[in-house]
Amino acid sequence: VEQSPPQSPGPGKAGDAPNRRSGHVRGARVLSPPGRRARLSSPGPSSSSEAREELRRRLRGLIERSRVMIFSKSYCPHSTRVKELFSSLGVECNVLELDQVDDGAKVQEVLSEITNQKTVPNVFVNKVHVGGCDQTFQAYQSGLLQKLLQEDSAYDYDLIIVGGGSGGLSCAKEAAILGKKVMVLDFVVPSPQGTSWGLGGTCVNVGCIPKKLMHQAALLGQALCDSRKFGWEYNQQVKHNWETMTKAIQNHISSLNWGYRLSLREKAVAYVNSYGEFVEHHKIKATNKKGQETYYTAAQFVIATGERPRYLGIQGDKEYCITSDDLFSLPYCPGKTLVVGASYVALECAGFLAGFGLDVTVMVRSILLRGFDQEMAEKVGSYMEQHGVKFLRKFIPVMIQQLEKGSPGKLKVLAKSTEGTETIEGVYNTVLLAIGRDSCTRKMGLEKIGVKINEKSGKIPVNDVEQTSVPYVYAVGDVSEGKPELTPVAIQSGKLLARRLFGASLEKIYHTLFWPLEWTVAGRENNTCYAKIICNKLDHDRVIGFHILGPNAGEVTQGFVAAMKCGLTKQLLDDTIGIHPTCGEVFTTLEITKSSGLDITQKGCG
Amino acid sequence: MAAMAVALRGLGGRFRWRTQAVAGGVRGAARGAAAGQRDYDLLVIGGGSGGLACAKEAAQLGRKVAVVDYVEPSPQGTRWGLGGTCVNVGCIPKKLMHQAALLGGLIQDAPHYGWEVAQPVPHDWRKMAEAVQNHVKSLNWGHRVQLQDRKVKYFNIKASFVDEHTVCGVAKGGKEILLSADHIIIATGGRPRYPTHIEGALEYGITSDDIFWLKESPGKTLVVGASYVALECAGFLTGIGLDTTVMIRSIPLRGFDQQMSSMVIEHMASHGTQFLRGCAPSRVRRLPDGHLQVTWEDCTTGKEDTGTFDTVLWAIGRVPDTRSLNLEKAGVDTSPDTQKILVDSREGTSVPHIYAIGDVVEGRPELTPTAIMAGRLLVQRLFGGSSDLMDYDNVPTTVFTPLEYGCVGLSEEEAVARHGQEHVEVYHAHYKPLEFTVAGRDASQCYVKMVCLREPPQLVLGLHFLGPNAGEVTQGFALGIKCGASYAQVMRTVGIHPTCSEEVVKLRISKRSGLDPTVTGCG
């Protein structure tokens, strides 16, 4: 899958006029507007949350349009050091001195929401948040800064996401909706038993979805028993057929896999079924099933590789035991089963297997459902016991031996007490390990670009905005440290991350104040009449809102309404010749977007 | 527990003097038994959900309480025990029969999930009815015991007012008894309406008062009406395999969101319930073979048509049980249109010490939990020094049609009427419950919509959910709406995966956008 090196649309190249009011300067010198202070947040009757959203958009705009954007305070020595650093590198910076604008405090607040950094200087290089003074100098020393400065929009992608699970996919789709060029790398390394699956990650393939369906199958067994009491009549012994169920569930999963592929395609997200491994800054190697390697670069990365089940590290475990990775597509009924572990995965699996009428034993090292309310956990345990699940408490397996091959075969499990020297033996058809999960972070070259992981857990520490120790690399989902391992959490954080990275605004608003000709002579006030259109960025800047405050507003509006019905776009408006001198003509010359924050007051004859 | 009860009672005893002293002035004009000499502190007329809640609460507060309850047999002769409509001929048996029907659906699902059940599986009405009736009888008994435990005096008599403090009760044998009380709460509820103008209606038709107590299967049934009672009954009758037809004159589920209502009907129709829309029955006759011949008129064309059924079930509304109460003797005002009792926000009637709660009251939702809560709050105001009023806004409810419909807050129509189309944003989604996929069930009508104000942060005005377990899904969100939840807050709520209720927190598509609201895949 050779990707032609594409030109990133680069939002900075749209030819926006320099922002004169925000203290924007070239070459690290600050020019405050003489006489009065600039405001970044728009004045006017908008509510505070709207104003904040507006300010956020504007900051995002500044960051996106500037090669180097420094939020600074004029008296801050750290800010000065950073400015001098860029100056010595001969790099032009856009500097906003927060102490010299009216709403500096608000800007600082919003910045801290975006970056989780409350202090100045707050430095962005080519849209990547580098951090404060120390981080900037560290990046300079490690060469990262130069790298960031060099690669001005020359990456293949705006965003590459490693891992096509719930979190990764939601992030990818959201970023694509926001107009970014996005790639998803997803590759399922087969389990030790050889099980592998399609796009969608744990939840869809080997987690929530098949688990809940098997749970439902078990509940139906109960419902069948109930139904006799409710007057339904059948006499035969009802038996459960594992193969029928598994086939139906796997069919459903295949349709979901397909659905994900389709939705990525619809949103123009590139999907590559290859294993991703970082090779250098901003560059990742993708290796496919056949061992072919392709290299891709991106401005930003999201790691969403999730976790896989842990093995015990005892004799026979990888050879003979299965995990939740294998259970849901097991081609034969597992028969008499030992479930090792007391996690919710362990208890859920034990529960539905028992519901099918299988002989199920759960081996528990210490407590049930660690982290949950223990009174409730024990009640879950006793309910399961009443419904036929056996529990072996305070034992751990030490060896698994195969007695017989087959589908299923026969395994001998040797276990020892956690409290004494007692050992026990048992014979099972299937041993299911559910003792925890390990994150997939060790073999993806994170050390090559300096992304720190927790050596013990393998998880990636991230800050409140999901950023890793490397500014342009983020992590979401089960792989990030200290976050709940739940699908909806991953989905939500992936989506929010994309919105923070690329701004959520799908609408472009153009506006202006104007002074009707008739009012000039009459000496009526200037800058009260206002025109505004709202365009949908995703739909060729189609005009979706039209507002005018001024004389004859109804007469002016009517014609434009008809035009909107016909699919009016900003381009069409720009191509229209104005009728001079009227009020309506302002709509043919709208230039200033609301998010630019530029001045719209009229000073002379337009 | 006992110690606490004693302590509470002791406390109530002390307060009693104070309240009486205060209330004494109000009762200056009382005729009959004088203050302090009356038989009871509180007399509750009607032993349904609301009445029993009042009685138990007052007893808890140490008051001397009596409950009078009497079930006038239905025209078909059906009668039942203590507990009122909900327990005997309403929510409880209805939900159990609904469950029986759901189980029928699950039996059809089971083979997809690997259970080897030979289809079709027949259903035995007698067995179900007996199990349901046994459960109801155990609840009747439970209510009796609870009253006894709390030392509430229970009279199985038919009550009518003698004066504003005195009630005359007639027992089954005709024996009369006079009871007087300082405070009286009327909670007699309602009974199904018979279309008495239709020939044969009273003679041959049954109502929800009878259906749950039938010993034999109703067979091929015509349900007349478009209330939730009508649709629920038709739903479970169809679900247990009976040939069922619903005759609707105008719109289904009046007062509910109409988009949701029509989807409820669509779902029922696609699952075998037959509908006769825009028709009204004109007469019912018994044929020589015992079947009932129903004649109806198509309201638009005026054409007549007939059909034969085993059972005709009227579910065209309910009338308040006020006629035999002699309310005029006490001076309690009722609405001339509905005969329901008029009350203020404190549940007070036109007579200061007489109150009314539940279905018998004008303008209140006819729901068990509202009656219970209104009753408790009323008693706490009367005897517990509280001043909390019942809040009748945002009362959640669920219609247990085969595909359940849960709702809280405003319907889309009501929201638009109150706030204007421009100020209302509706988010919606067609979703597929995970369990439906493997079973190959059709999820065309699984749908959720949230009606919000358009102004950020988009206060949630109403939530409407059509799908399995709708009641369970709606309850929590009802709390959210009570707490003033906004769309923004709901969207920041992490879902529980994989459930149907998570669809609510994933609502992203507004109706206004015109985008396809079909949910595909996860997230």
Side-chain angles (χ1 to χ4, degrees):
Chain A
V1 195
E2 196 55 51
Q3 299 279 334
S4 59
Q7 284 306 114
S8 169
K13 294 181 178 168
D16 291 289
N19 185 345
R20 284 181 297 273
R21 298 194 71 211
S22 62
H24 172 109
V25 291
R26 299 278 167 193
R29 271 177 51 234
V30 180
L31 292 174
S32 282
R36 58 191 245 258
R37 286 181 158 197
R39 285 176 62 92
L40 262 178
S41 54
S42 67
S46 50
S47 75
S48 73
S49 73
E50 236 178 289
R52 207 177 177 80
E53 207 40 52
E54 184 62 37
L55 179 60
R56 180 190 295 270
R57 270 200 289 272
R58 208 158 296 170
L59 291 179
R60 182 59 63 198
L62 280 176
I63 293 163
E64 296 211 338
R65 280 196 309 276
S66 317
R67 188 167 171 224
V68 175
M69 181 70 217
I70 304 173
F71 296 92
S72 153
K73 282 185 183 166
S74 58
Y75 53 78
C76 162
H78 301 290
S79 300
T80 310
R81 281 186 66 203
V82 168
K83 285 179 236 169
E84 282 167 2
L85 172 67
F86 284 106
S87 169
S88 74
L89 294 170
V91 176
E92 283 187 1
C93 305
N94 195 355
V95 179
L96 181 68
E97 300 289 8
L98 299 187
D99 56 328
Q100 293 179 353
V101 290
D102 280 346
D103 48 359
K106 266 196 201 126
V107 172
Q108 208 164 347
E109 264 175 51
V110 173
L111 271 178
S112 101
E113 282 169 22
I114 301 176
T115 64
N116 199 35
Q117 178 190 328
K118 293 193 183 74
T119 54
V120 292
N122 200 337
V123 180
F124 294 82
V125 177
N126 275 326
K127 292 164 261 176
V128 172
H129 177 233
V130 177
C133 179
D134 289 351
Q135 286 99 320
T136 308
F137 273 88
Q138 270 165 25
Y140 171 59
Q141 274 141 23
S142 73
L144 176 62
L145 191 66
Q146 293 83 329
K147 187 106 190 136
L148 285 172
L149 282 167
Q150 270 168 28
E151 302 196 9
D152 184 7
S153 304
Y155 299 114
D156 302 343
Y157 290 92
D158 295 316
L159 179 66
I160 289 181
I161 290 158
V162 191
S166 311
L169 291 179
S170 81
C171 188
K173 285 188 251 179
E174 193 72 16
I177 289 172
L178 294 170
K180 297 293 152 179
K181 193 165 181 225
V182 184
M183 166 179 274
V184 171
L185 287 176
D186 184 59
F187 188 83
V188 179
V189 178
S191 76
Q193 295 295 321
T195 313
S196 154
W197 51 86
L199 184 63
T202 300
C203 166
V204 172
N205 294 284
V206 290
C208 322
I209 300 297
K211 153 301 263 308
K212 179 126 193 238
L213 289 171
M214 291 206 174
H215 170 65
Q216 174 70 7
L219 289 182
L220 285 171
Q222 182 65 51
L224 285 171
C225 292
D226 288 359
S227 65
R228 292 180 200 225
K229 299 215 172 78
F230 278 90
W232 295 98
E233 295 188 314
Y234 55 92
N235 299 314
Q236 83 278 22
Q237 189 67 38
V238 176
K239 276 202 306 227
H240 185 257
N241 185 320
W242 174 274
E243 288 83 0
T244 308
M245 170 188 70
T246 315
K247 207 172 147 217
I249 291 175
Q250 289 304 319
N251 279 344
H252 174 64
I253 291 174
S254 303
S255 77
L256 291 178
N257 295 146
W258 176 244
Y260 282 124
R261 303 259 321 235
L262 215 61
S263 80
L264 287 185
R265 197 180 302 163
E266 275 169 5
K267 300 200 164 65
V269 173
Y271 160 63
V272 176
N273 185 201
S274 291
Y275 187 86
E277 192 181 342
F278 287 96
V279 286
E280 57 183 83
H281 275 299
H282 292 283
K283 192 167 188 178
I284 198 160
K285 179 175 80 181
T287 311
N288 73 8
K289 235 188 293 184
K290 294 176 193 151
Q292 289 165 331
E293 296 173 353
T294 317
Y295 293 85
Y296 302 102
T297 61
Q300 320 214 44
F301 288 84
V302 172
I303 300 170
T305 46
E307 295 183 315
R308 297 290 290 271
R310 185 178 301 157
Y311 278 81
L312 286 161
I314 59 168
Q315 195 190 327
D317 69 342
K318 284 204 176 166
E319 291 98 308
Y320 308 122
C321 297
I322 64 167
T323 67
S324 55
D325 277 359
D326 310 296
L327 179 66
F328 302 112
S329 57
L330 206 62
Y332 53 83
C333 177
K336 183 182 175 188
T337 303
L338 175 71
V339 179
V340 181
S343 61
Y344 74 86
V345 179
L347 297 191
E348 286 175 349
C349 291
F352 65 69
L353 292 175
F356 303 146
L358 299 181
D359 180 338
V360 180
T361 306
V362 181
M363 187 178 287
V364 181
R365 191 181 56 185
S366 59
I367 59 167
L368 301 182
L369 298 176
R370 186 180 300 280
F372 288 87
D373 184 285
Q374 279 303 300
E375 188 191 4
M376 303 306 279
E378 281 305 319
K379 286 200 192 306
V380 168
S382 18
Y383 181 89
M384 288 175 70
E385 250 176 323
Q386 280 163 25
H387 286 74
V389 177
K390 285 168 274 190
F391 281 86
L392 278 171
R393 307 286 289 251
K394 303 207 187 295
F395 273 94
I396 47 169
V398 289
M399 191 176 65
I400 318 286
Q401 264 181 335
Q402 191 176 53
L403 300 177
E404 257 175 51
K405 282 193 170 186
S407 311
K410 250 187 203 161
L411 302 170
K412 187 168 93 177
V413 180
L414 189 68
K416 76 168 181 17
S417 164
T418 57
E419 294 181 315
T421 53
E422 192 193 346
T423 60
I424 49 168
E425 253 183 42
V427 176
Y428 300 92
N429 296 118
T430 299
V431 177
L432 174 75
L433 301 181
I435 52 170
R437 300 173 64 82
D438 290 319
S439 33
C440 310
T441 53
R442 311 251 185 208
K443 289 176 187 155
M444 54 183 304
L446 291 178
E447 66 292 345
K448 292 213 178 102
I449 56 166
V451 173
K452 290 203 180 76
I453 61 171
N454 178 328
E455 277 312 321
K456 216 172 135 214
S457 67
K459 292 212 172 197
I460 303 177
V462 293
N463 62 21
D464 286 350
V465 289
E466 331 293 347
Q467 198 175 29
T468 69
S469 57
V470 174
Y472 66 88
V473 180
Y474 299 80
V476 296
D478 295 1
V479 83
S480 57
E481 190 174 61
K483 304 284 164 80
E485 296 181 9
L486 297 169
T487 296
V489 172
I491 291 176
Q492 186 86 343
S493 55
K495 198 174 282 181
L496 292 177
L497 170 61
R499 286 192 193 160
R500 280 196 305 272
L501 287 179
F502 305 119
S505 175
L506 301 177
E507 289 163 357
K508 218 189 286 177
I509 301 172
Y510 292 86
H511 65 162
T512 189
L513 290 164
F514 64 95
W515 199 9
L517 183 63
E518 303 84 327
W519 288 25
T520 56
V521 173
R524 290 216 239 168
E525 62 222 307
N526 192 354
N527 291 321
T528 50
C529 295
Y530 181 65
K532 174 166 92 168
I533 60 165
I534 302 162
C535 305
N536 182 353
K537 281 187 197 170
L538 293 182
D539 189 3
H540 311 290
D541 278 351
R542 200 161 67 82
V543 178
I544 53 173
F546 182 95
H547 306 266
I548 181 165
L549 189 65
N552 305 311
E555 307 300 343
V556 173
T557 309
Q558 186 64 73
F560 287 96
V561 171
M564 282 171 72
K565 271 264 180 273
C566 306
L568 179 66
T569 63
K570 177 69 170 63
Q571 188 61 47
L572 284 168
L573 271 180
D574 292 348
D575 293 346
T576 305
I577 309 227
I579 305 171
H580 193 65
T582 61
C583 291
E585 67 175 320
V586 297
F587 287 99
T588 63
T589 57
L590 287 172
E591 271 178 3
I592 299 174
T593 61
K594 212 170 180 187
S595 57
S596 73
L598 293 178
D599 193 355
I600 53 167
T601 53
Q602 301 293 308
K603 270 138 208 128
C605 187
Chain B
M1 196 61 200
M4 204 167 99
V6 170
L8 274 174
R9 246 174 249 137
L11 213 61
R14 254 183 286 137
F15 278 127
R16 186 171 160 185
W17 289 109
R18 239 180 276 164
T19 29
Q20 286 212 336
V22 174
V26 182
R27 276 194 273 98
R31 295 182 287 118
Q37 295 164 3
R38 298 192 185 105
D39 303 336
Y40 296 97
D41 295 327
L42 175 67
L43 175 67
V44 180
I45 308 176
S49 311
L52 292 176
C54 289
K56 286 187 267 184
E57 190 73 20
Q60 200 90 27
L61 291 168
R63 296 304 167 138
K64 198 176 172 198
V65 186
V67 172
V68 300
D69 184 58
Y70 184 82
V71 179
E72 187 74 41
S74 79
Q76 298 300 324
T78 310
R79 54 192 314 154
W80 51 86
L82 183 62
T85 302
C86 168
V87 170
N88 294 285
V89 288
C91 323
I92 300 296
K94 159 287 272 302
K95 181 136 192 226
L96 288 172
M97 293 201 175
H98 169 63
Q99 175 68 6
L102 289 183
L103 285 169
L106 293 179
I107 290 172
Q108 286 170 23
D109 285 357
H112 294 277
Y113 282 90
W115 294 102
E116 294 170 341
V117 193
Q119 312 271 350
V121 176
H123 184 261
D124 181 353
W125 171 278
R126 269 178 295 185
K127 204 164 170 194
M128 170 187 72
E130 199 191 326
V132 170
Q133 287 157 18
N134 282 342
H135 177 67
V136 169
K137 284 175 190 160
S138 78
L139 292 178
N140 296 148
W141 177 247
H143 282 305
R144 294 284 294 263
V145 171
Q146 280 180 17
L147 290 185
Q148 221 157 22
D149 285 352
R150 290 184 167 82
K151 308 229 170 350
V152 173
K153 186 77 184 147
Y154 163 65
F155 295 96
N156 185 201
I157 54 174
K158 186 172 179 172
S160 58
F161 279 95
V162 177
D163 63 40
E164 59 184 36
H165 278 287
T166 315
V167 159
C168 169
V170 184
K172 223 194 283 183
K175 212 180 119 192
E176 290 197 359
I177 176 172
L178 280 180
L179 301 168
S180 63
D182 293 345
H183 301 276
I184 298 175
I185 296 176
I186 306 169
T188 47
R191 296 292 288 272
R193 182 196 307 275
Y194 264 91
T196 39
H197 61 283
I198 296 173
E199 179 195 328
L202 198 64
E203 217 173 331
Y204 305 121
I206 65 166
T207 67
S208 58
D209 276 358
D210 310 294
I211 182 90
F212 305 110
W213 294 90
L214 292 181
K215 297 269 185 280
E216 300 293 332
S217 167
K220 184 182 176 190
T221 304
L222 174 70
V223 178
V224 182
S227 60
Y228 74 88
V229 178
L231 298 185
E232 287 176 345
C233 289
F236 70 68
L237 292 175
T238 309
I240 59 172
L242 300 181
D243 181 336
T244 311
T245 305
V246 182
M247 189 180 292
I248 298 181
R249 198 178 49 192
S250 62
I251 60 164
L253 296 177
R254 188 180 299 278
F256 286 89
D257 186 282
Q258 281 304 299
Q259 182 194 9
M260 303 304 283
S261 304
S262 58
M263 291 174 88
V264 166
I265 299 278
E266 251 172 58
H267 178 268
M268 288 178 70
S270 69
H271 284 72
T273 308
Q274 296 146 68
F275 284 90
L276 289 167
R277 299 288 297 262
C279 296
S282 42
R283 63 181 173 275
V284 183
R285 282 187 185 144
R286 191 188 283 285
L287 299 174
D289 64 0
H291 286 100
L292 300 176
Q293 186 190 56
V294 181
T295 308
W296 64 84
E297 186 181 304
D298 186 311
C299 300
T300 43
T301 63
K303 269 194 196 148
E304 278 211 338
D305 208 344
T306 60
T308 52
F309 300 91
D310 296 312
T311 300
V312 176
L313 175 76
W314 305 110
I316 54 169
R318 298 175 65 83
V319 286
D321 219 353
T322 49
R323 264 174 226 158
S324 59
L325 283 173
N326 270 340
L327 289 175
E328 60 287 351
K329 286 236 172 118
V332 173
D333 289 345
T334 56
S335 154
D337 298 334
T338 62
Q339 269 70 57
K340 288 193 173 188
I341 297 174
L342 301 169
V343 297
D344 57 23
S345 62
R346 299 172 304 107
E347 328 297 348
T349 67
S350 48
V351 181
H353 61 272
I354 301 179
Y355 305 84
I357 57 157
D359 296 3
V360 79
V361 179
E362 173 78 7
R364 299 285 195 234
E366 296 186 7
L367 297 168
T368 296
T370 48
I372 291 176
M373 192 181 286
R376 280 215 187 108
L377 289 173
L378 167 61
V379 169
Q380 282 164 10
R381 286 196 301 274
L382 289 179
F383 304 119
S386 156
S387 57
D388 293 346
L389 291 179
M390 174 72 188
D391 177 4
Y392 286 97
D393 281 341
N394 295 324
V395 172
T397 188
T398 292
V399 179
F400 290 95
T401 36
L403 195 64
E404 299 169 9
Y405 166 32
C407 65
V408 56
L410 301 185
S411 65
E412 191 176 342
E413 296 87 4
E414 181 66 25
V416 167
R418 285 197 201 178
H419 300 280
Q421 186 86 51
E422 270 317 291
H423 300 287
V424 173
E425 192 80 285
V426 177
Y427 294 92
H428 64 160
H430 280 284
Y431 67 97
K432 187 160 196 169
L434 179 62
E435 296 79 3
F436 279 30
T437 57
V438 165
R441 284 213 210 181
D442 175 35
S444 309
Q445 287 87 20
C446 290
Y447 179 73
V448 53
K449 82 174 170 184
M450 188 152 71
V451 182
C452 308
L453 279 180
R454 203 171 169 196
E455 277 288 297
Q458 301 189 293
L459 194 74
V460 180
L461 301 174
L463 178 68
H464 303 269
F465 180 94
L466 201 51
N469 306 306
E472 315 299 342
V473 171
T474 312
Q475 184 70 77
F477 289 106
L479 171 66
I481 289 178
K482 208 112 195 101
C483 298
S486 66
Y487 173 72
Q489 285 169 323
V490 175
M491 287 309 106
R492 280 201 299 273
T493 306
V494 173
I496 302 174
H497 189 62
T499 61
C500 291
S501 62
E502 74 176 323
E503 302 301 339
V504 177
V505 304
K506 296 195 315 198
L507 285 171
R508 290 284 189 279
I509 307 255
S510 70
K511 272 197 172 172
R512 186 171 270 113
S513 76
L515 296 173
D516 178 12
T518 307
V519 175
T520 50
C522 291

